[in-house]
Amino acid sequence: MKKLGVLSFILLTFLLAACQQETQGSSEISAKELESRLGDAKILDVRTMAEYDSGHVPGAELLPLQEIEANPSSYESLARTETYYIICQSGNRSSQAVALLEEQGFENLVNVTGGMNEWQGEIEK
C-alpha cells in the first residue's frame, strides 16, 4: 500500500511538472486587466485590417493572424523576449496567435481573453 502511495505521488509530480512546462511563457488576462496596464503595454491586435480600423485599443499595433500564419517576415521586427499583449475580437484568434508566435521563439505573450468584445476602455480609430 505504501508503494502505491509513493508511486502515485511521483506520477502526480510528473503530471504537474508537464502542465507547468506547457503553459510556461504565456498567460492570460482579461480586457479589464489590460486597461490597467495600458501605459507600458505593447499590444498586438491580430484582427483583420477592417476590424482594426473600426476601432482598436489605443496604441495597439496591427498584426493580423493571417499574416502571422502566412508571412514570417510580418513579425521579424518584434523582440522575442518583450512582453506582448495579444488581442482579437473574442480571444480565439489571439490564442491561436500566441501558440504560433511561441513556436517561433517568443517568450512572454499574454492572451487577452474576451478581446474587443469585453473591452470597455477608450477606442482609437
Side-chain angles (χ1 to χ4, degrees):
M1 188 65 144
K2 202 173 196 179
K3 285 183 182 181
L4 183 60
V6 171
L7 190 56
S8 295
F9 175 76
I10 291 171
L11 181 61
L12 182 61
T13 303
F14 279 116
L15 287 173
L16 288 173
C19 289
Q20 223 174 10
Q21 187 176 31
E22 191 173 28
T23 59
Q24 190 174 18
S26 67
S27 59
E28 294 184 332
I29 64 167
S30 69
K32 185 152 187 75
E33 288 174 292
L34 178 60
E35 262 187 270
S36 68
R37 301 179 188 194
L38 270 188
D40 299 324
K42 294 190 184 209
I43 305 165
L44 300 176
D45 191 322
V46 296
R47 298 177 299 154
T48 64
M49 183 178 287
E51 289 173 302
Y52 179 84
D53 287 343
S54 71
H56 56 272
V57 174
E61 180 182 334
L62 177 64
L63 180 60
L65 177 61
Q66 297 85 347
E67 285 294 312
I68 295 169
E69 293 171 326
N71 185 6
S73 67
S74 65
Y75 52 80
E76 279 181 355
S77 65
L78 301 176
R80 281 170 165 65
T81 57
E82 187 71 54
T83 299
Y84 294 101
Y85 296 87
I86 316 296
I87 193 166
C88 66
Q89 192 63 41
S90 66
N92 184 35
R93 285 177 283 178
S94 57
S95 178
Q96 292 173 40
V98 165
L100 289 168
L101 291 170
E102 281 180 337
E103 288 175 9
Q104 300 305 314
F106 285 83
E107 299 174 6
N108 301 306
L109 303 173
V110 182
N111 181 38
V112 180
T113 60
M116 292 302 292
N117 288 341
E118 299 293 324
W119 182 256
Q120 295 179 7
E122 189 178 325
I123 292 180
E124 233 174 48
K125 289 187 180 187

